[in-house]
Amino acid sequence: EEEEAPEGRAVGKERRVGTRQKGTGGLAERVEGGRAEFGRRGERMDLLADDNVAGQNLLSIVSRGSAIIAEMLRLSDNIPPEFSLPDANNTSASPTKGAAASKYSAVIFDFSYLRNPELHESRIGGDIDLSDLDEELRESLLPMIERFYSLFESVFKYISDLNRFLQDVDDGVYIQLRLEDLLVSSSGKQLLSESLHLYGVMLTVMDSRIDGPIRERLLIAHYRYKGSSETHSNVCRLCRSTGYHPLVARRPPSYPEDYFARLPPPQRVVMMVVNRLRSDDIYNQMKEWPDPTHRCTALQTQAAMVYVMLYFVPQVLHKEHSIMREIVDRHLSDCWVLPFYMGFIVDLSVMWEPYRAAMAALGNTVDSRRVRDVNARHVAAMGERINQLRTLLTEGTLTEDYVLDNWGALLNVLREANAELRWVMLHRKCQQKRLREAAWAGLKEEGVLTVLVQTAQLEFLVGRELKALIGGKEGRWQALRADCAERMGELASFFSGSKELTRVKRDERLEQWFKQLQGVIEGLEHGDSTLAGRKIQQLMSAIKDVGQFHQIEGNASVRLFLEDAHGQLRQMLRLVNIKEDLLIALATVSDFSFAFALIRDYMPHMHHLIKSDPFAVLLLRATFLKLATVLDLPLVRINQAGSEDLASVAQYYSSQLVDFLRAVLEVVPVNMFRVLNDIIQVHTGSLKELPPRLERQGMKDYAQLEQRYLLARATQQVSVLTEGILAMEATLLGIVEADPKRLLQDGIRKELCRQISHALHTMIEFREEGRKGELELRLEGLQAHLDGFRRSFEYISDYVNMYGLKVWQEEFARIVNFSVEQECNAYLKKKVYPWQSRFQSRAIPIPVYPPLDNNAATFVGRLVREILALTDANACTYLDASSGWHDSSGKEVLGIRTTSLLHKSIGTAGVRGLDNTLSFMIVSQLHSFVSHHRKEVASLKEAFEELTHDLGASSTLAANASKVYSTAVSRTAKLWPSVLQVAGRIGQAQLLRRQFASELNFTCRLDSPHLSGALEVVSDSLTNDVSCHYQHPDKKPYPSEESGLLRDIAPYLDTMGLTSPILKIYITTEPLPYVAVAIFLLVVTTLAKYKFEPKLQVFVPKDKRDCCDSTPFIVGVITLLKQFHSSDTHRFIELLCQYVRCQIVMQGKDKKGSSKELPPEASSVLIFLGEFCKFSNLDRKTVQAHLPPYVLDKFPL
């Protein structure tokens, strides 16, 4: 149930399979296999037998058809938004989908691509950005593209296999089987009709649910990424755009007959099947609907088949007036709105408008006077039906005896009610206003829903009684038979005259007669109901006659015995007539598959019913069970064929039913949260929080009786709202069991998720990026809102039997993680779409809002960018001593206070989400640095080689060092602006991550000291184990990965902030040539633009127009080096130390003597090295090993 969407198995496969017995009910019983005459010799064969090759092949084709349609419906709900390019007809596309589509519009093509594919491919190949975009689309959507192509190909293979089967029948491949034989066989005509009908339904559903332009784009994408195949051209011919759009009233000319003619079945076969359908009742429905006024209801399944098949032979619609008149008079005499498959509905007065013969035949049906007459009949019947149903549903009426005695009357009531519901609900969807108003004059949706609910309840109660009777029939029959026979034996003994204390003269004839009667009763068997019923009636008549004898009439005891025996025989007669056929008849009459989509129109009235009476859900439960009959239609043939698609198809339709059930019952949590708003106002507005200690004089001030009364009243309303669902029993909808308690909890979670998401989306919105004070203002408002919400939710959780704080934390974390995942799509080639997210749920969906700007997809992105804007290295300075960023006036812009406020407002999950987003940004910047380095170093390889050669070993001094360094700096100067920007961004993100980790760690130590201490010990022990392994790999093994301890402990350490973001390795890459030299030159070039400020203990730019804050740059350099081998870091330090020594030596040469002060360049590098060691936790001895003692004496690190 949770994770249906769009994952699932592929559609039906070609294979022969065994036959299963009856389906689960409803249509399964109606299409039960029959026998047919085959061949001229009259040999009888079962078409559905395991050894009947023809029957099994046709059954397999039909079962595949149902599976294909289920897969089509499943995929149509998950069309990738990238392929929904703007269309003049498509006015319902969401902004999110439109943005995604426009991004990839340059690499997505329709069939116009096939005119000149080389031109399009050369254009993409010649543009690096387009190539990257094309590769990104391929990585993200290739599995879905392949699945859509598999669907389209399955439709083509279906009609190809069906045509091949029909050709084989004509060619005599199946011995003694002709097409005429199939149409004589009960199972044959059903399967053949269904095979053609399902193909037409596939085409119709494909064109209405998957737009033609989208199909073309998906097919071209598959062609570009996977190449051509044997069936590709035929699939493209079948699936190319028709120009039809469901939102446009006007259809293209000759639609859909031209569409159906692309790959049609043989017209001769279609006409033979249509002729059979127009004159025959292939499902024997008239037996269950004997009333002439119900003929259209009984034949509605056939009418749907005829409607679809006529598009394969459009000449009948245009010219064959007599055939169309016969079809309409037989199937459509009083209805013109037709369900043709699983809730898909067609208004024939509109669809048949272009066809002269069809409209002429339908004219009498849609005549205004005729429509008004039919409406008047149904309006009068609906009022009568409500009274009948209310009487029958009165408690105590539907007893076992009542059902046995009045089964025929009950079935008639259900027939009438279902026929009226079908006509009324279908014709409410009439597209022509004139006809719709005439059909619904005097009717209201509330009244229709009342009839529906009461009819479903009556069906449920009658069905339950029948199942109980059938289940206990054997035992009760035997008990009644034994008891009745025993009474006959006792009467025989009574008239023998030998029984004590009876004083009855022996009557040998009565004694023998009762003994004979006893033997007859003991020989009764219920297997042959007709024979047993006739014998029982004879026995009842005989007992009644014998009661008139004077020997018996004057004896009260004997009369009582005979009356009891007569009653037992009468009960046996009732039981013998209770058979499975009654349940089949009930399932047939109560079929509700036509309303699979219509029922959603009545959802607002269901909500109103539940709001007015929470216990109304108990009545609606029967309605949900009635709706579950829709599963019979697609599953019956799949079940008979033993197909592996059974579970997948059943899961899809069952999940649709459960979704509807959730949508109906969600009115309870929605109203509960409306009441919760009142509780929030009391909690946050007027109710004072009780202090730990309270003096007696102040008790009156804290009593607040009026506020506490309002709180108690709101709490009582919440409790009453949930009582109805909690009293509801578990309901099996298809193969999914709907637990009411779970549904209530899921509904509460869904509404909670919606409320939190809405608050985060609306309250974290910034008018101007980087505006001082706005961040804290927004966070304070969000904190107050969510804190009051959380407290009130925890307060009512006890009254709805759930763990409020746990649910709050789980849903809040899920929302944040989902938002982070969607935000980080900007940094990934392979996107994670909302329906693919492991944090998204079908039952408890997280709302997806359109972006408020072009820079962020969710509130997480807006918050991260606001923080980055506030801490911009060009506008403020980071001071490690205060752990904060300060502007030019010295005022703190973001520091410990802001971080604490951030933590209080969005919680630990929110801070972790920001941290993860920054991690993805760092990875993106690191990849940018790597690609930039590889590209630029290749062009300046000679300069790096010369510098390396001129510097020589790090322990020596370079000859003519001043010239060497200045030359290298000047030749590589163009590289550093972009690298400096990358390093600054990385450092800024790392400092923010460090700030967040510090806040999380501090809070964890205060709130959970034991957990914090335990995690620190585990972390230290694991670190020691890893360290010992690398020191002594032969003696100390690496911590076992099979135990999963390292993997499991990492999230806990991250959540409590027990990590060092600066020391993490974010990417793995091949060694970069001259990376240490390049970063060394970057540092030397950049430090020349800074001066050290002793008061602030930080580098400040000499000219703010040239460079920015130094600390992010230093941390960025550390992060860059950390991604490569440690030897590169050591080489980098060696180069800096060599540079310091060279500067000192050059100063001595220039001044021809010693100087008390170190050169500015050397001092800057030494200060940089000190900061480098501090932020990277590097042992200072590593630097000291490369510097002479007098330098360290002069400038100790």
Side-chain angles (χ1 to χ4, degrees), residues 354-379:
Y355 311 109
R356 186 173 55 184
M359 279 305 294
L362 194 66
N364 186 52
T365 302
V366 296
D367 180 69
S368 298
R369 183 179 300 175
R370 168 72 171 161
V371 173
R372 284 194 295 269
D373 290 343
V374 176
N375 164 260
R377 188 182 75 207
H378 284 295
V379 169

Side-chain angles (χ1 to χ4, degrees), residues 1060-1094:
S1060 180
I1062 299 175
L1063 302 182
K1064 283 185 177 290
I1065 297 175
Y1066 292 90
I1067 63 172
T1068 56
T1069 182
E1070 295 293 327
L1072 292 181
Y1074 307 109
V1075 64
V1077 178
I1079 296 178
F1080 158 71
L1081 290 174
L1082 168 67
V1083 171
V1084 170
T1085 304
T1086 305
L1087 287 180
K1089 302 176 182 179
Y1090 286 99
K1091 63 180 179 179
F1092 185 70
E1093 179 57 53

Side-chain angles (χ1 to χ4, degrees), residues 726-756:
L726 294 177
M728 181 178 167
E729 297 179 8
T731 304
L732 186 65
L733 298 177
I735 63 171
V736 178
E737 185 177 57
D739 180 13
K741 295 181 179 61
R742 175 69 182 275
L743 290 175
L744 175 62
Q745 186 174 3
D746 287 352
I748 292 174
R749 284 177 177 265
K750 178 181 178 180
E751 187 62 20
L752 175 66
C753 183
R754 190 187 68 80
Q755 298 266 9
I756 295 175

